[in-house]
Amino acid sequence: SRTAAIVGAGIAGIAAAIRLAVKGYQVDVFEANAYPGGKLSGFTLNGFRFDAGPSLFTMPQLVEELFQLAGRNPNDYFRYSRLDETCRYFWDDGTHLTAWADRDSFAREVETQLGEPASHLLAHLDDSAAKYRITEKLFLHRSLHKLSTWFNRDALHGYLNLPKLEIFKTMNRANEERFQNPKLVQLFNRYATYNGSDPYQTPATMNIIPHLEYNIGAFFPKDGMIGITNSLVRLAEDLGVRFHFNTRVVELVTEGARVTGVRNENPNGKTERFDLVISNMDVVSTFRRLLPTARQPERILRQPKSSSGLIFYWGIQREFPELGLHNIFFSSDYRAEFDHIFKQKTLSDDPTVYLNITSKHKPDDAPPGCENWFILINAPNNSGQDWEELIAKTRHNVIRKLSRNLGVDVAPLIACEAILDPIAIEARTSSSQGALYGNSSNNRFAAFLRHANFSHQFQNLYFVGGSVHPGGGIPLCLLSAKIATELI
Ligand code: FAD
């Protein structure tokens, strides 16, 4: 049978492996780490379990689709539930707000807590849905780099509705026009961070993102986020996919306009031959490290990267009933915070704190009476900052902010700790500059400046993952695997 090599067992690499196995390929996945999932992995520390990277699960149908494609029952592998509340929001002035998944409940909450007319919120969510429907057909399910994408009925529909996407306005401006209360502007500006962008630069088109959370829903996998990786690896193995862990690919071997094989760093340096290769390695690293003598698509490779993150994993010796699965403690000056991240490339002293606690839904993730805190601070991507100093400063600021908001000194409650910074993210996943989502979307042409899911130089080379079309985040990574394998 035909053979395929996949470089990297990130979520897009695993999804591509499943899709090719279903097509009848013998698939070998080479993964540098000892474990699958890349950013979507997990670990335990002194009796606390943590998801290492993603914590918000949207569009579960894209995961289920893979089981259905393989003729399996998704329930045999993977279970999840829909959340009633998507996030609890806290401001330093004592304001609290619960974002309910149910639109009408959320609109009522916004009216009573923030004095914002419910109709404003409902109009915003409707607008988000309308934007999503336009972009879905144009950008999300197809290659942008094939003529057929631009000459069909869906595309025509898209062109006619282009003004609705508001590409010439920033997200912040659109949200300021929509809402009276600055807190609600801040709340909806936050969705820019879902793809590592700056709400004061990214186009209002990105207001499609809340549609996923409110109109479609936010979900929790029964086994935690790692359950997505583990169940898909199990499906891939059931389909005959072979995973090779601790196996870093160091070269893609080419002959003319074809890739003929992959060479890994094992001592014998043997080249294995394959009919086609899919790289799930960051596209910048793929070209720079695996194809250094090939023509480099510089314009695309040099695009500014998305933000990164600074993550504290804390085992906490207490329970906090006022907290939920997803919690946000907002900064007092959001614009200054993003200026720090994207312009000054540093961290402000009052960062917005995202706190995720899976033990709220999965009690065995923490010992009795304890909670597993995952704290994510949006951070600049790595450009050689003094991370040791930034981490120490930010750890102090996070503890101060949480202690003030929760009315208890958090520091002595930290029983154990692990930290992830942009340098470690790059080292563990090859993600250029430790960016969480590949290129930033701070530019209205960003969608066109991501690399295609196929190579223009090598006929049998394809790309999947957060650094290529259609972008970062689990749902888009899964779609990249769909687009790439449908081109094969
Ligand atoms: P990656 O996860 O980047 O993995 C690439 C894999 O390839 C790695 O395992 C790496 O070891 C391997 N590899 C690279 N080079 C080689 C080589 N030469 N040889 C062999 N193997 C190689 N997304 C969401 O949807 N929701 C969230 O809430 C969310 N939060 C996030 C929070 C954090 C802290 C982080 C880090 C990310 C978050 N994301 C979130 C983004 C999401 O995790 C990523 O977009 C997605 O997981 C990227 O998947 P990928 O397929 O591109 O591969």
Side-chain angles (χ1 to χ4, degrees), residues 7-13 30-33 35-40 52-58 225 247-250 280-282 290 311 374 376 420 425 428-431 436-437 464-467 472-475 477:
V7 183
I11 194 66
F30 300 97
E31 168 53 56
N33 294 327
Y35 54 87
K39 299 184 180 78
L40 186 45
S55 52
L56 176 68
F57 181 37
T58 54
M225 296 299 284
T247 307
R248 183 182 297 278
V249 172
V250 291
N280 177 215
M281 184 185 193
D282 181 284
L290 307 190
I311 299 104
F374 165 104
L376 169 65
L420 185 69
I425 292 171
R428 283 183 207 173
T429 65
S430 299
S431 190
L436 301 192
Y437 304 93
V464 297
S467 70
I474 299 166
C477 287

Side-chain angles (χ1 to χ4, degrees), residues 212-223:
L212 302 183
E213 214 171 279
Y214 296 102
N215 297 331
I216 303 181
F219 301 83
F220 184 74
K222 189 178 138 285
D223 298 323

